Amino acid sequence: MELMVAVRPTFPQSGFAGQTSREHRPHRQRTPHSQRRLQLGADEAAKYGVHFDTHDDRYARTSEWLDVIDGCWQQQHFSYSGRYYSVADNVLAPKPVRQPRPTIYAGGESETAKNLIASKCDAYLMHGDSPEIVGPKIVDMRERRERRGLPPMTYGVAGYAIVRDSEAEARHEVTRITDVQQSARGYQNYQQWVTGSKLEQKISLEDYSVSNRGLRSGLVGTARQVKERVAAFHDVGVDLLLCNQARSARRWSASRLR
């Protein structure tokens, strides 16, 4: 089990983010730095008083941001001059416990995103989808990584688990939580996110009802059915599942999935 810290490059300066995301040495706490979503809404940017970049510009910024944070983690007296960031004689001490650096997780479906992630990140995170769809994505990213002469990545997929005593009970819960009204709070943000992103698939309002298209992973049914689904993801190369779960009145233990 480990904590995953999500950071949007536009908000914090990269050197400061590198400092605050260090692993806490006194307790040896495992807190990997995370780039889970390389996306920022225009309204959200305005509220924080920062410039809103277009899609490809966001990834150009993120590329520099990763260069700076990696340099701060691994070097003393680190300097950098780029289009978006300039760092002069940065001294960051102590360095992160995990070497050569904390794991950098990232996700994205555009060509720009996938090329950046294959080049500069350690793990590729995907929205929820079936093993049949996720498997080819992993093959594609492995090939991109190998062409760059870099070591293997970790691969993760989002999932929303609904485990009940019967499949019918689980499906009933799916129906309940996907009853999303277009007037619901946050629907405008959903529309803006879809418009500003370059996704490989069109997503539905039902997909939006849980985070990161988690229901598409199909972790719905009895404990046995969900366990078999997890095994199918492992078979196509998935190393980790980013799971949310819908709890029943009777709490169930994660150990039932093992």
Side-chain angles (χ1 to χ4, degrees):
M1 184 72 69
E2 60 184 19
L3 300 176
M4 184 177 291
V5 181
V7 176
R8 298 176 187 268
T10 311
F11 289 157
Q13 288 291 332
S14 49
F16 177 75
Q19 182 181 35
T20 56
S21 65
R22 290 176 302 178
E23 297 180 335
H24 302 292
R25 302 179 76 90
H27 303 290
R28 306 288 291 189
Q29 180 180 345
R30 299 175 61 222
T31 308
H33 191 71
S34 168
Q35 276 279 100
R36 266 206 323 139
R37 183 177 298 172
L38 311 180
Q39 161 77 17
L40 174 66
D43 290 346
E44 194 174 8
K47 290 175 182 178
Y48 281 85
V50 296
H51 175 70
F52 177 68
D53 297 313
T54 61
H55 181 274
D56 286 358
D57 286 340
R58 289 200 299 273
Y59 283 99
R61 176 186 292 276
T62 299
S63 179
E64 287 193 11
W65 196 90
L66 290 169
D67 288 342
V68 172
I69 203 168
D70 190 57
C72 291
W73 278 338
Q74 298 196 46
Q75 303 176 37
Q76 293 290 35
H77 303 284
F78 173 74
S79 296
Y80 182 92
S81 180
R83 175 183 174 188
Y84 299 95
Y85 299 103
S86 294
V87 175
D89 196 32
N90 177 277
V91 177
L92 178 64
K95 297 299 185 188
V97 171
R98 182 177 294 181
Q99 291 296 324
R101 67 184 185 193
T103 303
I104 297 177
Y105 298 85
E109 297 185 351
S110 68
E111 281 296 302
T112 303
K114 288 184 282 191
N115 285 330
L116 171 64
I117 294 165
S119 298
K120 297 189 177 182
C121 299
D122 308 306
Y124 182 54
L125 304 182
M126 292 162 279
H127 289 299
D129 264 316
S130 68
E132 292 77 16
I133 293 177
V134 168
K137 292 182 180 182
I138 293 175
V139 171
D140 172 66
M141 289 299 288
R142 282 175 176 164
E143 291 174 350
R144 293 172 193 259
R145 191 78 166 174
E146 290 170 358
R147 287 197 295 268
R148 291 164 172 79
L150 296 173
M153 302 182 77
T154 296
Y155 297 97
V157 65
Y160 192 89
I162 301 176
V163 181
R164 298 292 185 266
D165 292 334
S166 70
E167 184 177 0
E169 289 178 278
R171 295 297 172 188
H172 178 76
E173 178 65 9
V174 172
T175 300
R176 185 188 70 82
I177 66 175
T178 56
D179 183 18
V180 180
Q181 301 298 317
Q182 292 193 10
S183 59
R185 183 178 180 182
Y187 179 72
Q188 184 177 358
N189 288 338
Y190 152 75
Q191 290 180 308
Q192 185 184 87
W193 175 70
V194 171
T195 302
S197 301
K198 293 184 179 179
L199 303 174
E200 293 173 328
Q201 301 181 54
K202 183 178 180 180
I203 69 171
S204 68
L205 191 56
E206 287 74 21
D207 292 326
Y208 168 70
S209 63
V210 302
S211 63
N212 298 317
R213 301 202 307 252
L215 285 172
R216 287 195 182 186
S217 294
L219 304 176
V220 175
T222 64
R224 179 186 58 78
Q225 289 173 315
V226 173
K227 181 178 180 179
E228 291 172 353
R229 190 69 164 180
V230 171
F233 278 112
H234 180 267
D235 290 344
V236 299
V238 173
D239 301 297
L240 67 110
L241 288 170
L242 289 80
C243 275
N244 291 318
Q245 68 183 48
R247 299 191 177 211
S248 63
R250 291 175 296 174
R251 297 181 61 183
W252 55 275
S253 168
S255 63
R256 292 179 63 184
L257 301 183
R258 295 172 187 161

